[in-house]
Amino acid sequence: MPQSVTIKWIYATGLLIILILSLSWSYRAIGQQAITELADQSQNRLTLFVSNLTATLDKYEHLPKLISTNYRLSKLLQQPGSEVLNETNRYLKAVATTSGASDVYLMNQKGTTLASSNWDLDHSFIGMNFNFRPYFQQALKGNTGRYFALGTTSHQRGYYFSYPILSQQSVIGVVVVKIRLAEIETAWADQGNHFVVTDDDGIVFLSTQAEWTYHSLRPIDKTRMARIEDSRRYLGKSIRPLQMEQLDKLEQDVTRISFASNTQSRPDQFLHLSQKIADAGWTVHLFANLAPLRDIQILRTSVAGFAMLILLLLIVLYLTNRQRRMALQGSTELLEKRVQQRTLELQNEVEERKKAEQSLIDTQAELIQAAKLAGLGQMSAGIGHELNQPLTALRNYAENAQRFLERNQLDEVKGNLQEINEITDGMAGIISQLRGFTRKSSGERSQVSVSQAVAQALGMFQRDIESRSIELNTQVSPELSIQTDPLLLNQVLVNLLSNAIHAMVEVGEPRIDIEASSDAEVVVLRVSDSGPGLADDVIENVFDPFFTTKELGMGLGLGLSISYRIMEILGGRIEAANIDSGGASFRLYLANE
Ligand code: ADP
């Protein structure tokens, strides 16, 4: 695996671990936060519930005292069975209907009901005795009574308010207002929160969770239980404790609890808050279910996790982009630097090439000159001979002319002087050719007659041609002329002729053919000989500098390479071949201008 990939994996694993740790921390923090929120909300709901309950109770608290002031009640108590009974019954019914109380009734001092709002119903209280009820006893003592109990006839939970009816400082009866509590349960029933009201023994008598009713929130000892049974508050219902387990205490009056359950493997957990209602001796409890909290916790953690993931992705994206940008920038800079460097190198190369070209041109010019001088050296012996012969002839003609003058043979003198004249012309020709040969080319072009150029070159080898009886066959039209550098063309021709003559040293019938042909664009000048021709390995290298088959000191191997370069300079070319009869043949292609 490449190193960069391994590093990426390490980064990815690191990020994943950070993500998991952050999520578990968030999960816990969110849980705590949610519990605190729930505790606050529950506290508010509990306060609301308590004030609602208190308000309901308060509404009826003073009602018995108010009723007790009605004259009918005392009259009935003092004269039971009198005609005021009906009036009293109706009055009590009117009070119950108007106030919303369940029942309103009047008891004599023995606890027997004399009049009641339900006098006309099946479960009428009239004639029934409730002297065992604590509220009756409280009122009999001259106090206001309050009591919760199950109705003996209705078996419904009721709350009783009682007040004594006095006559001359003594209690002659008790008036009772009973209210039903079941409405409170339905009004406050809620999925997540369970309200529970317990009496001073911790027994649940009101609960939005029906199955909890008549259970105790704390264990009850035997004596207490006996007392409860005596009061017949719960009409002999068996009171069992709820299996409530406190898990931890979060705040004052706020605990986390769970109920042991046989059906659920994992019992529901609740937040438990409680508040006392001192007047009634009740405690109101609120159990807030923690199960939905887990859903909220999971949801919020998922949202947080999602947000973290997006944030992480954005960070990773940003970093990768930055890295890529930096890499791109780096490579662009590198590229720019390389381009600059290469440009500089190319400029240097161009400069060097120019210099090399210039030095090549200079060297070639030097070589051409050197070759000319070398050729001159070779020719010097022949030229010496060339000039010696006319000089000897000149001396002879001059001596003869002198003798003829002495004899006064003027015609012969004239003839000899004529000869001398011609000989000096010839010598001047040779010398002028030599001068031309050693001069460097000026590079200037002029209209040159091809036949004259050929004749001039041949003139330099006149002595060899004659002495070795070389047959010359020249077929060049005298009209043919081209625009060229005459000195350079001469140098090429001289070189070709020199090579041809040299190649034919041992040939029986030496012969040189020079022919010119032309079309609209090109003039081809062919110089061929009857020598041995060019061997295969020679023909391949014949234009290479310093290639020679001649003995040491006889040739430098530069003639044809220089001729090749000259032809390029002149805008033409040179080719080497063998003719059918065996000799070598060189073609010069020149632009027909
Ligand atoms: P050099 O004459 O100094 O050797 P050149 O470049 O003029 O240099 O000629 C190179 C070689 O080409 C000669 O040495 C010779 O072998 C061959 N060569 C040139 N012209 C002829 C020719 N007409 N016939 C045969 N060989 C030739």
Side-chain angles (χ1 to χ4, degrees):
M1 204 185 285
Q3 204 181 354
S4 62
V5 177
T6 322
I7 290 171
K8 272 184 192 166
W9 272 111
I10 291 170
Y11 274 133
T13 320
L15 284 177
L16 204 70
I17 289 170
I18 290 172
L19 192 71
I20 290 168
L21 287 179
S22 314
L23 277 180
S24 78
W25 178 83
S26 305
Y27 184 74
R28 227 172 302 154
I30 287 169
Q32 286 295 333
Q33 168 76 14
I35 285 180
T36 314
E37 276 174 24
L38 186 68
D40 288 349
Q41 279 173 16
S42 304
Q43 191 62 60
N44 289 338
R45 286 183 67 77
L46 183 64
T47 311
L48 205 64
F49 183 82
V50 168
S51 58
N52 194 276
L53 193 60
T54 324
T56 311
L57 297 181
D58 286 352
K59 197 173 116 188
Y60 296 99
E61 188 168 17
H62 303 291
L63 198 58
K65 192 176 178 181
L66 197 72
I67 303 166
S68 73
T69 56
N70 191 291
Y71 74 96
R72 291 184 190 92
L73 274 71
S74 354
K75 200 175 175 186
L76 185 66
L77 285 170
Q78 283 158 355
Q79 297 168 11
S82 66
E83 75 283 357
V84 83
L85 175 65
N86 274 344
E87 271 181 49
T88 312
N89 278 336
R90 282 196 196 94
Y91 168 67
L92 294 178
K93 192 178 185 83
V95 170
T97 316
T98 322
S99 67
S102 160
D103 304 291
V104 182
Y105 49 100
L106 175 72
M107 289 185 284
N108 63 16
Q109 57 195 141
K110 286 187 182 144
T112 306
T113 308
L114 297 182
S116 174
S117 59
N118 58 10
W119 58 277
D120 54 343
L121 301 176
D122 288 348
H123 59 274
S124 166
F125 290 170
I126 293 177
M128 295 186 94
N129 190 290
F130 300 115
N131 68 355
F132 58 93
R133 291 293 203 196
Y135 63 82
F136 173 74
Q137 281 147 25
Q138 283 162 7
L140 208 60
K141 284 177 195 157
N143 301 322
T144 303
R146 296 166 68 120
Y147 190 68
F148 162 79
L150 285 182
T152 42
T153 49
S154 65
H155 289 250
Q156 283 183 347
R157 287 160 296 170
Y159 195 64
Y160 302 82
F161 294 95
S162 61
Y163 199 77
I165 295 171
L166 302 166
S167 173
Q168 291 165 358
Q169 306 298 320
S170 63
V171 177
I172 56 165
V174 171
V175 63
V176 182
V177 171
K178 181 190 171 192
I179 58 167
R180 262 198 301 269
L181 295 174
E183 283 91 350
I184 295 174
E185 285 177 342
T186 34
W188 286 83
D190 177 341
Q191 283 295 308
N193 301 310
H194 304 315
F195 287 102
V196 161
V197 185
T198 53
D199 64 8
D200 38 15
D201 293 313
I203 299 167
V204 177
F205 64 89
L206 259 184
S207 171
T208 51
Q209 194 75 343
E211 64 268 25
W212 291 356
T213 324
Y214 311 125
H215 283 75
S216 66
L217 289 188
R218 54 174 192 261
I220 301 172
D221 58 38
K222 278 185 182 164
T223 28
R224 194 181 269 247
M225 189 53 92
R227 188 177 49 74
I228 293 164
E229 278 167 10
D230 280 353
S231 74
R232 297 181 64 197
R233 177 180 262 178
Y234 297 107
L235 299 175
K237 279 190 188 290
S238 69
I239 308 292
R240 287 206 198 92
L242 273 177
Q243 298 299 316
M244 193 171 92
E245 191 191 343
Q246 183 174 326
L247 301 173
D248 50 11
K249 187 169 180 160
L250 304 174
E251 290 172 36
Q252 180 72 26
D253 287 336
V254 182
T255 50
R256 201 153 58 89
I257 59 116
S258 74
F259 288 107
S261 156
N262 299 331
T263 49
Q264 282 173 287
S265 57
R266 191 193 160 107
D268 274 353
Q269 291 190 0
F270 291 89
L271 214 57
H272 176 209
L273 295 90
S274 59
Q275 197 172 323
K276 281 199 161 94
I277 304 179
D279 285 352
W282 297 350
T283 308
V284 180
H285 306 259
L286 189 149
F287 294 93
N289 198 345
L290 287 173
L293 223 60
R294 201 169 307 130
D295 295 344
I296 293 173
Q297 199 177 358
I298 289 170
L299 184 78
R300 289 189 188 170
T301 313
S302 312
V303 171
F306 192 63
M308 275 185 226
L309 204 69
I310 286 179
L311 194 74
L312 264 180
L313 279 178
L314 284 176
I315 291 172
V316 168
L317 217 68
Y318 170 76
L319 288 178
T320 338
N321 252 355
R322 204 175 70 144
Q323 211 174 8
R324 223 179 272 164
R325 262 207 316 274
M326 275 164 66
L328 204 69
Q329 203 177 337
S331 60
T332 314
E333 275 172 16
L334 198 73
L335 204 71
E336 269 173 20
K337 218 179 264 179
R338 276 199 194 149
V339 168
Q340 273 176 3
Q341 204 177 331
R342 188 75 196 116
T343 313
L344 209 71
E345 280 172 10
L346 280 175
Q347 280 172 348
N348 287 344
E349 267 175 39
V350 168
E351 209 56 40
E352 265 168 34
R353 249 184 223 177
K354 269 187 196 163
K355 268 186 207 162
E357 234 167 65
Q358 190 51 49
S359 104
L360 190 69
I361 290 166
D362 291 350
T363 314
Q364 277 173 343
E366 294 304 320
L367 277 175
I368 292 168
Q369 190 61 11
K372 276 202 259 182
L373 293 175
L376 190 66
Q378 277 180 9
M379 284 190 299
S380 58
I383 289 164
H385 180 80
E386 192 73 26
L387 289 179
N388 257 345
Q389 200 190 11
L391 271 178
T392 315
L394 268 184
R395 195 180 295 124
N396 287 340
Y397 281 122
E399 280 173 3
N400 288 342
Q402 209 171 6
R403 241 175 270 132
F404 287 132
L405 198 67
E406 281 167 7
R407 289 184 208 151
N408 212 12
Q409 292 174 326
L410 289 177
D411 284 343
E412 279 77 6
V413 172
K414 203 177 168 186
N416 275 9
L417 286 176
Q418 187 64 38
E419 286 295 334
I420 289 171
N421 231 359
E422 281 172 17
I423 289 168
T424 50
D425 275 355
M427 287 173 76
I430 292 168
I431 289 163
S432 86
Q433 279 174 359
L434 274 176
R435 239 198 265 128
F437 194 75
T438 50
R439 234 181 12 240
K440 253 188 178 176
S441 164
S442 64
E444 277 175 27
R445 296 187 177 205
S446 56
Q447 200 64 30
V448 176
S449 153
V450 180
S451 60
Q452 271 179 21
V454 169
Q456 198 175 8
L458 282 170
M460 297 193 69
F461 300 98
Q462 197 57 43
R463 194 177 64 86
D464 287 304
I465 292 167
E466 280 172 10
S467 64
R468 290 176 36 200
S469 314
I470 294 172
E471 188 186 333
L472 254 185
N473 180 21
T474 310
Q475 288 180 17
V476 182
S477 159
E479 281 91 47
L480 194 60
S481 72
I482 49 170
Q483 186 74 21
T484 193
D485 181 331
L487 285 175
L488 292 181
L489 179 62
N490 177 266
Q491 192 168 348
V492 174
L493 288 171
V494 165
N495 186 50
L496 292 182
L497 290 172
S498 158
N499 280 346
I501 290 164
H502 190 269
M504 294 187 296
V505 170
E506 289 171 1
V507 172
E509 290 175 355
R511 173 193 163 102
I512 292 177
D513 290 304
I514 301 173
E515 339 168 312
S517 61
S518 70
D519 59 23
E521 285 171 5
V522 76
V523 171
V524 183
L525 195 59
R526 198 174 72 133
V527 180
S528 32
D529 58 57
S530 58
L534 302 158
D536 285 346
D537 59 328
V538 174
I539 211 164
E540 281 170 18
N541 308 306
V542 84
F543 296 112
D544 291 347
F546 303 106
F547 176 83
T548 180
T549 58
K550 292 176 187 166
E551 288 161 26
L552 197 67
M554 295 302 288
L556 289 171
L558 286 173
L560 283 178
S561 84
I562 289 166
S563 299
Y564 189 89
R565 175 70 189 136
I566 288 172
M567 287 310 290
E568 273 183 350
I569 292 168
L570 294 180
R573 66 178 201 275
I574 180 169
E575 282 177 3
N578 285 316
I579 49 171
D580 294 341
S581 52
S585 167
F586 290 86
R587 277 171 203 266
L588 303 180
Y589 293 84
L590 292 149
N592 191 3
E593 289 175 289

